[in-house]
Amino acid sequence: MAKKEAAIDALLSENRVFEPSRDFRSRALWNDPSIYERAAKDPEAFWAEQAASVSWLRKWDRVVEWNPPWVKWFLGGKLNAAYNCLDRHVEDGGGDKVAYYWEGEPGEERVLTYRDVYLEVCRLANGLKSLGVKKGDRVAIYLGMVPELPIAMLACARLGAPHSVVFGGFAASALRDRINDAEAKVLITADGGYRRGQVVPLKQNAEEAIRECPSIRHVVTVRRTGGDHPFTAGRDLWYQDLIAEQPAECPPEPMDAEDLLYILYTSGTTGKPKGIVHTTGGYMVGVATTHRFIFDIHDDDVYWCAADIGWVTGHSYIVYGPLANHATGILYEGAPDWPDKDRLWSIVEKRKATILYTAPTAIRAFMRWGPEYPDKHDLSSLRLLGTVGEPINPEAWVWYWKYIGTERCPIVDTWWQTETGMILITPLPGITALKPGSATRPFPGIEADIYDEHGHTVGPGSGGYLVLKRPWPAMFRTIYKDPERYVQTYFSKYSPDVYLAGDGAKRDDDGYFWLLGRIDDVMNVAGHRISTYEVESALVDNPRVAEAAVVAKSDPEVGQAIVAFVTLKAGQVGDQTVATELREHVAKVIGKIARPHAIIFTDDLPKTRSGKIMRRLLRDVAEGRQLGDVTTLANAEIVEQIRDMASVRTGED
Ligand code: ATP
Ligand code: MG
């Protein structure tokens, strides 16, 4: 067996609990655990108190109206999200503080203060107004990670025009479907974006998409990469020309707390993406509060959420939460391994980032590349780390702790969804003792539980359905134009006041939550319910393995047989011996029942464009079925490759 790093092994083996250091605790914004009881006793009062983090044009009359499954928060309140993110900080003398340090993939830098962002948002808002955009009109945004992306979102918010951001890595058809679903009037895009040294042809994709988008009247294009582009007179404008002549004053539209702020589509991991609707007041309170206290934001922090703004993580924790909190952030345009695999660490060092928030898929890639890349840089500015998007395997957690946090930084493993709008299950870094792989506890004011099939709470150690039993301010209000799907998908399994998250979870004896992946991904092997995530974690625990995805295939004998798709670390060769070793390793870690029936070695795994493993496609492959919805698949070629390999099984029982 390949040698596992002794240090990592030691950290994992003793079931160690990671307590916040005395220093961290004493400086943390929240360090008194009584916050949990206080919030649980009177959640409405708790959220009413948190609502003071937002500036209201008119104060709300009522905290919440829960008419299950429909909810309204801060009824009667008026506010503007852009005002909260920008104007009030400039008015308070904070205009010179850096809002974003931006770095382009080819290496350019821009430093934008709150005043810079404010002025450009006003100009763009006036520009959009001149194109006829007004309150309630939808605007589609299809950009890479450039400063114009948050600026465009805030310009829309200023006018009360809901935005629908489409991730810049999507192809024309995905863009077309999202524009049509929202019936957007204007599209804001760029001529191109940089990714791994190549130009992503955004405008070209947009041209292809809008051929079939009758609602689009204007296309505003940011000049980023240069080159010639077809231009349709009357429809097309350059962003730079549109804002050039506009006045830098634009009164923010007073919005009702329940007015639509944006529409955003889910990742499409489990099926066709859903158009999630977020409104203004509760959302702003929810994201500002969670961002401030989970990331423990102090005035001197340099906070880096390395997600793409095209996902909810970017909406809530790159744009609305951090700007509402007057935080300084980092935006990076390109790939983490361009020009080399230390790009992120060079940015951390250069900007002296203090907080880094990224995804397990990225952490597993860093592990695969090896610690020599972070080791080349001074990461001593970091004081807090975060993760989101998938369950994080303990192995990856400990690697992150050791090599990125250099054994000093708490890690907040944050569970939430596009639907929830804000983080719901998470450590509080100055309070919570951490266990690698556990998202720990619900945020104060949040009531989460784990139910069995019949709606009874399951005891410690048993897996079940994660549910939320009380509304929270940033929750979605519906699925755009499909309220029926809202009710059906999330509120029909138990009763209309119980939100079904769609994820499996279990609690341990300390009441900590452990996320087990999607309900759809739970396998039934000879009558035992086994989560794909647990088998994957056991595989990744083997030092040869970089990443693994596990699915069940119907089997006449045992009901379902486990098939594992495994990516090995650089230099490892997947052969019969290794397959046997891995099968035995799983048997040792979990038990014989979980030993994969077949192991298929592959160069990569099918992932959504937000980096999540799409097990449903692997299930289709394992079952020899036609593939389901592939519009959100990032690496189409790999599915074909896996399909070919699946016919030449390695390591079959
Ligand atoms: P779709 O709903 O279209 O299938 P998706 O669920 O992947 O896509 P998102 O809203 O981006 O779309 O992701 C939310 C999901 O991500 C959660 O339901 C959960 O499965 C997973 N997730 C997010 N954070 C965590 C975490 N910290 N631990 C475990 N799982 C997480
Ligand atoms: Mg989902």
Side-chain angles (χ1 to χ4, degrees):
M1 189 162 142
K3 200 170 150 290
K4 185 150 150 189
E5 271 179 78
I8 295 267
D9 232 3
L11 288 169
L12 273 172
S13 63
E14 44 198 72
N15 280 333
R16 192 179 141 184
V17 168
F18 296 72
E19 297 274 359
S21 70
R22 190 193 295 253
D23 279 358
F24 194 100
R25 196 189 291 266
S26 66
R27 194 175 173 252
L29 297 177
W30 274 356
N31 47 21
D32 179 355
S34 69
I35 185 81
Y36 286 105
E37 289 141 49
R38 197 158 66 76
K41 213 175 271 167
D42 192 348
E44 274 192 38
F46 172 78
W47 289 117
E49 197 183 303
Q50 303 311 320
S53 61
V54 162
S55 301
W56 301 87
L57 293 163
R58 181 186 184 279
K59 201 190 161 193
W60 39 274
D61 309 309
R62 213 176 140 192
V63 181
V64 61
E65 182 188 281
W66 181 218
N67 180 16
W70 308 104
V71 72
K72 290 181 178 158
W73 280 87
F74 303 114
L75 291 86
K78 300 253 184 234
L79 76 166
N80 182 282
Y83 177 87
N84 270 282
C85 289
L86 303 168
D87 309 37
R88 61 172 177 158
H89 305 312
V90 176
E91 287 166 9
D92 291 348
D96 292 332
K97 187 171 181 187
V98 174
Y100 293 120
Y101 290 111
W102 176 78
E103 185 161 317
E105 194 186 71
E108 321 92 303
E109 291 172 9
R110 281 172 70 186
V111 179
L112 293 99
T113 64
Y114 272 83
R115 182 175 301 99
D116 296 334
V117 178
Y118 163 75
L119 293 174
E120 191 155 323
V121 164
C122 288
R123 288 202 176 91
L124 178 60
N126 283 326
L128 292 172
K129 236 192 230 178
S130 76
L131 300 179
V133 175
K134 49 184 193 324
K135 183 176 173 183
D137 291 340
R138 275 83 58 213
V139 174
I141 304 176
Y142 177 61
L143 285 169
M145 286 285 284
V146 289
E148 289 80 2
L149 173 49
I151 287 169
M153 293 161 73
L154 292 163
C156 292
R158 195 166 193 86
L159 297 176
H163 52 73
S164 168
V165 177
V166 181
F167 170 56
F170 273 130
S173 57
L175 174 62
R176 177 199 60 205
D177 295 348
R178 286 163 180 70
I179 292 175
N180 286 337
D181 192 50
E183 296 168 280
K185 203 168 175 179
V186 169
L187 170 65
I188 303 176
T189 185
D191 49 2
Y194 291 101
R195 184 83 193 173
R196 213 164 265 125
Q198 305 281 316
V199 170
V200 181
L202 295 170
K203 180 68 194 310
Q204 202 178 306
N205 294 345
E207 285 284 344
E208 199 184 319
I210 60 178
R211 249 180 257 145
E212 296 168 55
C213 296
S215 61
I216 293 288
R217 311 246 181 90
H218 294 285
V219 179
V220 178
T221 305
V222 175
R223 219 189 288 268
R224 167 81 187 106
T225 51
D228 284 339
H229 292 275
F231 238 66
T232 307
R235 187 199 71 185
D236 279 8
L237 296 108
W238 287 109
Y239 173 97
Q240 283 83 352
D241 296 345
L242 176 68
I243 64 168
E245 304 295 319
Q246 297 295 337
E249 240 167 70
C250 174
E253 184 73 31
M255 301 294 282
D256 189 90
E258 283 300 321
D259 277 338
L260 223 166
L261 177 60
Y262 68 78
I263 303 166
L264 181 67
Y265 294 81
T266 58
S267 293
T269 312
T270 55
K272 186 172 175 286
K274 303 168 274 270
I276 299 301
V277 168
H278 283 293
T279 57
T280 311
Y283 179 79
M284 289 304 291
V285 172
V287 299
T289 306
T290 48
H291 176 258
R292 180 181 297 280
F293 295 111
I294 294 166
F295 297 105
D296 189 44
I297 299 296
H298 289 70
D299 192 43
D300 55 355
D301 272 315
V302 178
Y303 160 87
W304 188 9
C305 168
D308 195 286
I309 294 178
W311 311 116
V312 74
T313 304
H315 280 56
S316 297
Y317 298 109
I318 298 179
V319 183
Y320 290 108
L323 295 181
N325 288 330
H326 198 208
T328 292
I330 294 177
L331 290 178
Y332 167 56
E333 179 185 35
D337 55 351
W338 190 266
D340 205 349
K341 299 184 175 67
D342 65 341
R343 185 64 182 269
L344 298 195
W345 319 124
S346 83
I347 297 174
V348 167
E349 179 172 10
K350 178 160 70 187
R351 295 301 180 193
K352 300 202 166 30
T354 58
I355 302 165
L356 178 70
Y357 187 31
T358 187
T361 184
I363 298 165
R364 290 190 299 260
F366 304 149
M367 281 173 73
R368 192 160 59 220
W369 299 337
E372 53 274 29
Y373 294 99
D375 279 354
K376 276 200 256 181
H377 296 276
D378 177 6
L379 306 184
S380 61
S381 56
L382 288 172
R383 63 180 200 91
L384 177 61
L385 303 174
T387 146
V388 60
E390 289 179 288
I392 180 163
N393 335 81
E395 177 89 7
W397 194 104
V398 164
W399 195 93
Y400 197 30
W401 162 270
K402 179 162 170 56
Y403 291 107
I404 308 305
T406 57
E407 305 190 41
R408 297 174 296 108
C409 307
I411 299 177
V412 288
D413 174 359
T414 63
W415 177 87
W416 61 298
Q417 311 175 298
T418 312
E419 294 87 336
T420 70
M422 63 191 238
I423 296 168
L424 295 188
I425 303 182
T426 177
L428 290 172
I431 296 177
T432 315
L434 308 169
K435 300 184 190 182
S438 170
T440 76
R441 296 177 66 179
F443 190 79
I446 302 302
E447 199 185 336
D449 203 348
I450 302 172
Y451 276 2
D452 67 11
E453 206 51 61
H454 310 289
H456 301 122
T457 299
V458 303
S462 317
Y465 299 91
L466 179 64
V467 295
L468 297 156
K469 302 205 286 193
R470 184 192 286 288
W472 61 97
M475 72 188 272
F476 66 145
R477 299 300 191 257
T478 189
I479 292 181
Y480 196 63
K481 295 199 293 201
D482 201 351
E484 191 51 33
R485 195 173 175 202
Y486 170 84
V487 178
Q488 271 307 316
T489 311
Y490 306 101
F491 296 98
S492 64
K493 188 170 173 78
Y494 301 110
S495 64
D497 58 349
V498 175
Y499 172 84
L500 177 76
D503 285 337
K506 67 180 179 194
R507 238 175 321 210
D508 65 17
D509 292 331
D510 298 325
Y512 276 40
F513 284 72
W514 297 76
L515 276 299
L516 300 174
R518 313 311 175 112
I519 294 170
D520 306 355
D521 291 342
V522 174
M523 304 175 291
N524 188 343
V525 182
H528 298 266
R529 292 175 69 70
I530 298 172
S531 109
T532 52
Y533 162 73
E534 285 172 305
V535 183
E536 287 162 10
S537 272
L539 287 164
V540 176
D541 180 61
N542 182 287
R544 297 186 200 277
V545 176
E547 205 160 29
V550 163
V551 301
K553 174 182 183 302
S554 21
D555 183 283
E557 261 170 55
V558 288
Q560 293 193 312
I562 299 175
V563 181
F565 297 83
V566 172
T567 309
L568 296 175
K569 285 191 186 145
Q572 298 286 338
V573 182
D575 57 18
Q576 193 70 39
T577 323
V578 175
T580 308
E581 175 188 316
L582 294 183
R583 293 179 57 246
E584 291 318 314
H585 184 75
V586 174
K588 201 177 99 207
V589 177
I590 311 181
K592 278 194 180 143
I593 186 77
R595 186 162 56 186
H597 172 71
I599 291 191
I600 296 165
F601 294 106
T602 152
D603 295 343
D604 201 356
L605 297 167
K607 291 191 186 146
T608 60
R609 288 175 201 262
S610 57
K612 301 179 195 209
I613 299 170
M614 288 170 99
R615 293 177 192 76
R616 65 181 167 90
L617 295 184
L618 293 174
R619 254 189 325 260
D620 293 341
V621 169
E623 298 279 12
R625 285 193 300 248
Q626 213 184 338
L627 300 182
D629 187 297
V630 288
T631 55
T632 60
L633 178 65
N635 45 354
E637 48 328 313
I638 201 69
V639 183
E640 287 316 311
Q641 193 188 322
I642 291 172
R643 212 204 278 274
D644 292 344
M645 295 182 50
S647 50
V648 218
R649 290 281 163 77
T650 338
E652 193 125 2
D653 234 351

